[in-house]
Amino acid sequence: MASNMGLCSVCSNLELDFTPSPRADAPPKCPNTYWKGKQVHLLTYELPRVDALIQSANRSCESCQFFYNLLEAHGIKSRDLKQRLYLEKLPWHPLAWTIASDLHPAIKNVSGLKSYFKHRWFRGGKALIDTVADPVESSEWLEDDRKRATSLSGQLLELEVCIEPEAYIESAGHRTLDPTRICATRTPKDPASKATFDIAHLWLNRCLSTHTCSQLEASPLPKRVIHVPTNLDEPLRLACPELGTTGQYIALSHCWGGSIATRLLESTLESFQTEISFDYLPRNFRDAVTVTRALGISYLWIDALCIIQDSRDDWFEQAPLMGSTYHNAILTISALTSNSSNEGFLHPRRLCSPALGKDMNRYLRSKPTDLSADMRTGILNTRGWCAQERLMSPRILYFASEQIHWECSAARYSEGMPDCLIDGGQITGMTKNLVQKVLEVHQAPLPPYERLAAWSFCVLEYAGRKLTYDSDKLPAIAALASELNMNGELGTYCAGLWSSNIFVSLAWNRIQPAKHDEHEEKRPQLVRSATYRAPSWSWAAYDGLIKISSDLHEQAKDEQDLALWKTWEQRFAPRLVNAEMKLKDESQPYMEILPGSHLLVDAWYREIIVRGAGAVELKNGKEGERFESPSFSPTIASDWHKDFSQVKDKVYICVPLNIQIRRSRRWSDILIRMLVLESDSDNKVKWRRIGVYLYADDIELSGMCSVGWQKAELKLV
């Protein structure tokens, strides 16, 4: 039994074993709210005032330090220092507690709550509350309260009761159906503790033995790996295994965050094979070595130490292989919240209490975030190379600020709830599963439309991320592109698009950041790159969030739709004549490209006038021609109010690309997507993309057929 030494008198009297008796007549939507006048007992403890809490924490009360850390994490203000705090048992869950202040409505307006709480306060650390609750009224009040909660004086800081990780490990992670069983585990203060690594071991062994996630016991080793000896007296060294050598290794996914002092150079290649000084490594690398050694794996791959950083030849050789490097790793370590290589990711946790309760075997912790929430706030979720690394890794161990997370194709876990499946984060499970299916050699190849769909989701996730080097836009996703087109069925790779569905994917469009995106201010609105990376018609030429379509052919489900598609193809469908990509390295079709790359298309077009705020009209329109309800979306957001009609020496045309047949019970129409281009020169030989034009026509394409179209071969640059 743990001792309660180091706790103040209030914290030493906290009793966390209290569990309300279950009821058979509880309403389904509110399983632990007490029902229609039935009396139950809940616990409430009066904690020290905020300023007294700080003083108690400074006098070495570990529990008060925990409560203060929690308040600080939620933005404590100077005006809050005189508030009293209360630790309350929540009625809707047998293991949930909350911290409320004396300005919180549940306490300030006790007499005004007709049937929520009837409080009887006791000082000296203990208080018992008689509670009579109407679950409907109380749940409505709580929901309203949560919506208006914006500061310490108006929010519920929810906590959970948890147990030692060893108790979870001993049960082998199997959860019972008992709702009062504590299945939440304490996250140790030290993320490098044996308890944390035991959980990581459990997840890894479970995946290797029961999941279908790339179960190879040994994979081909990369050209260079770091040998991590189990004996601490032996030095780290760079190993250069012979081609075809197999083994198990771990890969590190991290944010460079600036220059790295210790890295592999041509001048250090020989000395690194003898010894790599652990003490001179950036902290991220030292932490990765610690995790690798704790998991019993002999080799570690880190880009800065395994690719010669001042050799362009080695870079061009290794960069296209990075996808397979992460895919063949038995595990990828993700330094999720580390902003630079020197920051490290094995920092002490702050939001879990010391041992509390009668038997000193219960803990309080802040209600833990899941992987989705930590991904939204993690710096790695903004970095370009890390998107490919996450998608191609079969198993990832994430190190967040307060816990570790696990992700594989079959399951996602968090350290605080290690046997409960959780959300998979911003990249959807479907996307990762599609990519992993493509990479599994023992599975039948996926049809092209599924691989195109996977590519569309990958680009959606990747395009808005940041890169240290602007020229890495295509290289940072090259390995993924290569794997998706391993049998060549997607056609020629056209700077991030595929020739097999070029007239669908050319209609990509910019999108706004999601409201819940924590990094919205860090993600640029779509802007053109200052340096050449791709032609104007490719999303790779821009920085910002974009959405790319995959395929629309499956829409033709009946004879009527097939007839419409046939009419479209005969009258308006464009044809790809040639796709010429000028490669920086002819042996690397998925890497960087040079100016002069272009598409040559045989297409119908019509000259138009592009005005501000999305207005488009036909140039020199004749009687009978009609474009109703047009919608122009410029590629760059700042062009929305630009009046292109005032630009001299430019000609603007729209080129029909594809159609989408839309049907409902009351109406049917056809949405035509067109590319809006401007002439690049006076002779109208080259054309640049400026946006996408959407036109809704009737099911007979009457509007399209009324327009006087011209046909020509257009060179898109």
Side-chain angles (χ1 to χ4, degrees):
M1 181 185 302
S3 170
N4 63 358
M5 293 182 63
L7 300 180
C8 67
S9 59
V10 174
C11 295
S12 62
N13 286 321
L14 295 180
E15 177 56 75
L16 303 181
D17 295 326
F18 176 83
T19 303
S21 57
R23 297 166 298 106
D25 59 345
K29 293 184 179 180
C30 203
N32 290 292
T33 300
Y34 291 81
W35 182 242
K36 290 187 178 179
K38 290 191 176 182
Q39 189 180 54
V40 297
H41 296 282
L42 298 181
L43 284 178
T44 293
Y45 295 96
E46 183 178 348
L47 298 175
R49 213 167 53 179
V50 176
D51 53 357
L53 191 75
I54 297 174
Q55 295 177 9
S56 179
N58 292 335
R59 290 195 297 267
S60 302
C61 176
E62 296 181 15
S63 181
C64 285
Q65 182 66 59
F66 157 69
F67 289 127
Y68 176 68
N69 290 343
L70 182 66
L71 298 177
E72 189 179 43
H74 284 77
I76 185 172
K77 303 293 191 300
S78 58
R79 66 175 182 269
D80 299 318
L81 294 179
K82 300 299 182 182
Q83 292 183 32
R84 289 186 174 88
L85 299 173
Y86 302 92
L87 180 65
E88 294 183 330
K89 180 71 191 64
L90 291 180
W92 56 79
H93 192 284
L95 303 173
W97 293 69
T98 187
I99 293 180
S101 69
D102 58 359
L103 295 184
H104 191 278
I107 297 171
K108 184 179 180 182
N109 299 320
V110 171
S111 60
L113 296 175
K114 296 180 180 179
S115 60
Y116 190 67
F117 282 152
K118 291 184 178 178
H119 293 73
R120 292 206 310 266
W121 297 107
F122 293 85
R123 296 191 178 275
K126 289 188 177 182
L128 188 63
I129 308 171
D130 288 338
T131 304
V132 179
D134 183 327
V136 176
E137 183 176 342
S138 63
S139 62
E140 289 175 352
W141 176 83
L142 282 168
E143 182 63 29
D144 181 63
D145 175 66
R146 282 171 171 164
K147 289 180 180 178
R148 66 172 179 262
T150 56
S151 68
L152 174 63
S153 61
Q155 70 176 313
L156 295 169
L157 306 185
E158 295 190 21
L159 309 174
E160 289 184 347
V161 177
C162 50
I163 57 176
E164 285 284 3
E166 288 79 1
Y168 167 78
I169 295 294
E170 290 172 1
S171 67
H174 297 300
R175 188 180 183 185
T176 70
L177 298 178
D178 179 4
T180 64
R181 174 186 180 270
I182 300 178
C183 57
T185 60
R186 177 180 71 93
T187 51
K189 186 174 182 179
D190 181 7
S193 66
K194 181 179 182 299
T196 295
F197 289 138
D198 282 347
I199 287 180
H201 258 298
L202 179 68
W203 290 336
L204 178 60
N205 292 334
R206 179 188 294 171
C207 181
L208 292 173
S209 60
T210 64
H211 296 170
T212 59
C213 313
S214 183
Q215 297 185 28
L216 294 177
E217 286 291 328
S219 300
L221 291 176
K223 183 176 182 179
R224 305 179 192 95
V225 286
I226 303 161
H227 180 248
V228 181
T230 55
N231 188 347
L232 295 177
D233 294 330
E234 295 182 26
L236 302 172
R237 62 179 180 83
L238 186 69
C240 303
E242 295 182 0
L243 184 65
T245 303
T246 61
Q248 293 182 342
Y249 66 94
I250 288 176
L252 174 65
S253 178
H254 68 109
C255 174
W256 279 47
S259 61
I260 297 176
T262 302
R263 52 200 176 101
L264 181 62
L265 305 172
E266 290 186 329
S267 60
T268 59
L269 178 59
E270 184 175 350
S271 63
F272 273 22
Q273 294 179 58
T274 302
E275 180 179 357
I276 301 175
S277 175
F278 179 84
D279 294 333
Y280 285 100
L281 289 177
R283 185 166 176 181
N284 271 2
F285 299 179
R286 298 201 304 268
D287 289 350
V289 169
T290 299
V291 175
T292 301
R293 182 176 282 123
L295 295 179
I297 306 299
S298 299
Y299 296 107
L300 172 65
W301 188 90
I302 301 175
D303 53 1
L305 298 179
C306 297
I307 298 176
I308 303 176
Q309 298 299 304
D310 58 351
S311 170
R312 196 66 181 170
D313 291 339
D314 196 58
W315 162 253
F316 270 101
E317 178 189 65
Q318 293 299 308
L321 303 176
M322 288 178 67
S324 59
T325 297
Y326 282 92
H327 179 65
N328 290 333
I330 192 172
L331 180 69
T332 294
I333 297 170
S334 175
L336 185 59
T337 57
S338 180
N339 292 297
S340 72
S341 294
N342 294 313
E343 186 172 314
F345 56 85
L346 295 179
H347 298 291
R349 281 85 172 262
R350 304 172 65 242
L351 301 183
C352 190
S353 76
L356 299 170
K358 179 178 61 177
D359 297 323
M360 302 299 289
N361 61 353
R362 296 288 186 268
Y363 301 84
L364 282 175
R365 70 172 186 200
S366 175
K367 188 174 181 180
T369 55
D370 59 15
L371 177 57
S372 178
D374 280 337
M375 285 292 294
R376 285 198 297 269
T377 58
I379 186 65
L380 248 59
N381 202 40
T382 68
R383 306 306 302 174
W385 282 96
C386 297
Q388 177 177 263
E389 293 164 8
R390 182 186 179 194
L391 282 168
M392 301 196 72
S393 298
R395 286 167 290 272
I396 307 178
L397 184 63
Y398 295 94
F399 283 83
S401 58
E402 291 298 323
Q403 61 180 326
I404 60 172
H405 300 282
W406 173 272
E407 180 182 53
C408 64
S409 298
R412 294 166 186 89
Y413 306 111
S414 290
E415 184 179 4
M417 297 288 285
D419 58 347
C420 298
L421 291 176
I422 61 170
D423 184 357
Q426 188 171 348
I427 301 180
T428 64
M430 179 180 66
T431 307
K432 188 173 180 70
N433 289 341
L434 279 173
V435 172
Q436 291 299 319
K437 284 180 181 178
V438 172
L439 299 177
E440 292 305 323
V441 295
H442 64 275
Q443 292 191 6
L446 292 179
Y449 75 87
E450 285 198 41
R451 280 179 277 147
L452 289 169
W455 177 252
S456 299
F457 284 118
C458 295
V459 171
L460 174 66
E461 171 63 27
Y462 167 73
R465 293 178 176 233
K466 293 184 177 182
L467 294 160
T468 302
Y469 300 103
D470 199 49
S471 58
D472 284 351
K473 191 72 171 186
L474 289 173
I477 202 170
L480 184 57
S482 176
E483 293 291 344
L484 287 172
N485 195 34
M486 62 179 66
N487 56 8
E489 289 184 352
L490 303 187
T492 302
Y493 187 61
C494 304
L497 309 179
W498 302 99
S499 63
S500 62
N501 78 332
I502 192 69
F503 296 114
V504 173
S505 54
L506 275 173
W508 61 265
N509 210 344
R510 61 183 174 86
I511 59 176
Q512 298 298 324
K515 291 182 179 180
H516 64 269
D517 190 346
E518 301 288 342
H519 295 286
E520 178 176 350
E521 295 182 357
K522 300 178 184 179
R523 296 183 188 275
Q525 298 296 321
L526 203 65
V527 294
R528 185 71 184 262
S529 171
T531 57
Y532 184 89
R533 296 187 310 214
S536 66
W537 42 262
S538 169
W539 57 264
Y542 306 86
D543 292 315
L545 297 167
I546 70 103
K547 181 179 181 180
I548 183 172
S549 299
S550 55
D551 206 346
L552 302 172
H553 77 276
E554 68 275 8
Q555 294 182 81
K557 297 178 180 179
D558 54 35
E559 292 184 3
Q560 185 179 9
D561 287 357
L562 288 170
L564 288 172
W565 275 90
K566 187 174 182 180
T567 300
W568 164 261
E569 290 176 351
Q570 292 175 344
R571 295 289 302 272
F572 303 107
R575 181 176 63 89
L576 180 63
V577 178
N578 185 34
E580 184 174 338
M581 300 296 108
K582 295 186 179 297
L583 305 176
K584 190 169 185 178
D585 184 339
E586 290 295 330
S587 65
Q588 303 292 349
Y590 302 101
M591 297 285 282
E592 296 177 55
I593 64 172
L594 302 173
S597 301
H598 66 271
L599 298 176
L600 188 63
V601 299
D602 184 24
W604 295 95
Y605 72 94
R606 179 65 160 86
E607 287 194 30
I608 57 175
I609 300 173
V610 183
R611 303 196 186 277
V616 174
E617 59 188 65
L618 296 175
K619 186 176 183 180
N620 301 322
K622 299 178 180 179
E623 185 178 355
E625 292 184 324
R626 59 185 179 87
F627 261 15
E628 298 176 356
S629 303
S631 175
F632 169 63
S633 177
T635 299
I636 299 174
S638 59
D639 285 347
W640 175 254
H641 294 289
K642 180 178 179 180
D643 187 352
F644 289 88
S645 64
Q646 301 300 313
V647 180
K648 297 181 179 180
D649 303 324
K650 294 285 186 180
V651 177
Y652 297 91
I653 63 175
C654 62
V655 177
L657 292 177
N658 61 71
I659 61 172
Q660 179 181 353
I661 302 170
R662 305 187 298 185
R663 296 187 184 277
S664 72
R665 293 182 178 180
R666 297 184 179 181
W667 56 268
S668 299
D669 72 358
I670 298 179
L671 183 67
I672 300 100
R673 294 180 174 89
M674 307 187 199
L675 202 58
V676 180
L677 306 169
E678 68 175 5
S679 59
D680 187 53
S681 57
D682 293 338
N683 55 16
K684 304 180 186 178
V685 174
K686 300 177 182 179
W687 299 88
R688 295 185 181 276
R689 170 190 166 126
I690 65 168
V692 175
Y693 178 62
L694 302 181
Y695 172 61
D697 204 351
D698 60 44
I699 206 69
E700 303 297 333
L701 291 173
S702 302
M704 289 287 292
C705 294
S706 71
V707 175
W709 297 93
Q710 296 176 273
K711 194 174 187 180
E713 283 193 356
L714 305 173
K715 188 176 183 179
L716 310 185
V717 297

